[in-house]
Amino acid sequence: MSSRDNPFVRFAAFWWGIGVILLFFVILLVTRAIVGGGDAEDPLEETARKNRLKTLAGIEAAQQAYFEAKVVEEGKTVQLDPEGVFEHVGSQLLAAQPTKVDDPAQVVPGSAAAEALATAGGEADTEGVDALTPEAGTEPDPAMMEKGKQQYMVCMACHGMNGEGGPVGPPLANSDWVAGPVSNLIRIQMRGLEGPITVSGKEYTFPAPMAPMGAAQSDEDVASVLTYIRNSFGNSAPPVLPEQVKMLRSEIGKPPLTQDDLIPVAPGS
Ligand code: HEC
């Protein structure tokens, strides 16, 4: 009888095999602990990772708040349709056109590349952009409003179905920012916004900042959604033009704005 067919030998060989594998993992763990293996991360990558997790947590909190929300419409309480939202957000993501970048390298916040981008071209020409805003009373183009309404489905998760705001985003209804300089609104879309913000006299602090939502969208899409919020929820302000958005594309990649970076819209803002 060869040892191969001896059940006792085979049994012992089986346990030897298991033992060797276990030993291998123990050695691997010990070496990682000594050498510091995967923990020796680049602090910049670590910051980028933390930022990604922060944004993700913000979005998840927003979705949770949104699906729990019940909205009152014409006197009756209606449950929002989560499936419709998923479908819409999914199609938006698929349709989103990535912005063309000259240098495909990932720009990590705080890195030399990010610094160079932030200072390239100097200050944004906000004055030039605001000078293009059509005069008060100019009616928005209905097609643009329709397009903006579709785009708003993405903002709704944080800013509420009727721009009323909520636990993860300030109100857009009767917001002095929304009615204020267009350059502020476009820059918020390109760079995001963080830190406490005072909207129409009330100060808000949110768990997560607003992400640069417009950075990956076309000039027309950004102009449409801003035109939409400026002419919905009781707001009434001149439309935003795609040319204005184009002029502030150079803002993409710069660090998130804080309230102090914006043109003030009210005393104390
Ligand atoms: C993940 C949640 C989230 C989403 C999605 C989002 N925002 Fe925001 N938004 C915020 C937060 C949070 C702030 C306040 C940031 C701060 O702390 O200063 C803000 C601020 C703003 C402001 C300035 C303050 C105000 O209330 O007027 C505007 C305008 C705005 N967002 C527009 C939009 C638009 C338009 C969209 C969709 C394209 C959008 N946001 C999508 C979270 C979000």
Side-chain angles (χ1 to χ4, degrees):
M1 198 184 194
S2 84
S3 65
R4 214 163 41 109
D5 300 326
N6 181 331
F8 293 104
V9 172
R10 289 179 63 180
F11 189 68
F14 171 75
W15 284 110
W16 266 106
I18 296 280
V20 167
I21 291 170
L22 280 179
L23 194 66
F24 173 75
F25 277 111
V26 168
I27 291 171
L28 192 73
L29 284 177
V30 169
T31 12
R32 273 177 69 102
I34 293 170
V35 182
D39 297 334
E41 274 154 8
D42 181 343
L44 289 179
E45 292 301 337
E46 185 57 16
T47 313
R49 193 181 69 86
K50 282 205 184 114
N51 280 341
R52 280 199 300 277
L53 289 178
K54 209 162 132 189
T55 308
L56 185 69
I59 292 171
E60 276 172 1
Q63 282 175 341
Q64 194 55 32
Y66 175 73
F67 292 131
E68 280 169 7
K70 292 197 174 196
V71 288
V72 179
E73 200 179 68
E74 289 161 10
K76 59 181 183 336
T77 305
V78 293
Q79 182 70 49
L80 297 175
D81 164 25
E83 273 169 34
V85 172
F86 277 128
E87 208 172 280
H88 179 81
V89 173
S91 68
Q92 287 287 303
L93 288 175
L94 285 178
Q97 296 289 322
T99 322
K100 197 174 156 294
V101 281
D102 295 332
D103 179 3
Q106 191 193 2
V107 180
V108 179
S111 67
E115 194 76 7
L117 259 180
T119 45
E123 289 294 296
D125 181 13
T126 53
E127 242 171 76
V129 167
D130 290 327
L132 288 179
T133 304
E135 61 187 56
T138 307
E139 287 292 319
D141 171 22
M144 222 172 170
M145 283 291 282
E146 196 46 47
K147 196 166 191 191
K149 190 175 176 182
Q150 296 292 317
Q151 298 288 328
Y152 185 73
M153 294 289 278
V154 182
C155 325
M156 193 162 85
C158 298
H159 290 290
M161 197 168 186
N162 298 307
E164 71 276 22
V168 288
L172 300 178
N174 300 314
S175 155
D176 36 17
W177 297 106
V178 172
V182 164
S183 62
N184 279 347
L185 300 176
I186 299 173
R187 288 173 76 221
I188 293 173
Q189 295 298 309
M190 298 297 151
R191 290 174 58 172
L193 184 67
E194 66 179 16
I197 183 148
T198 302
V199 181
S200 303
K202 197 167 172 223
E203 192 184 278
Y204 298 85
T205 306
F206 292 99
M210 177 164 152
M213 307 285 302
Q217 289 185 310
S218 72
D219 296 341
E220 203 176 331
D221 283 348
V222 175
S224 302
V225 76
L226 294 178
T227 298
Y228 176 76
I229 62 168
R230 274 161 74 86
N231 290 281
S232 303
F233 330 126
N235 300 330
S236 171
V240 177
L241 312 172
E243 301 89 279
Q244 291 176 297
V245 179
K246 197 190 189 92
M247 284 170 76
L248 289 172
R249 284 268 163 209
S250 55
E251 289 285 277
I252 297 174
K254 294 186 187 177
L257 296 161
T258 63
Q259 177 164 279
D260 290 344
D261 298 319
L262 299 171
I263 300 172
V265 291
S269 72

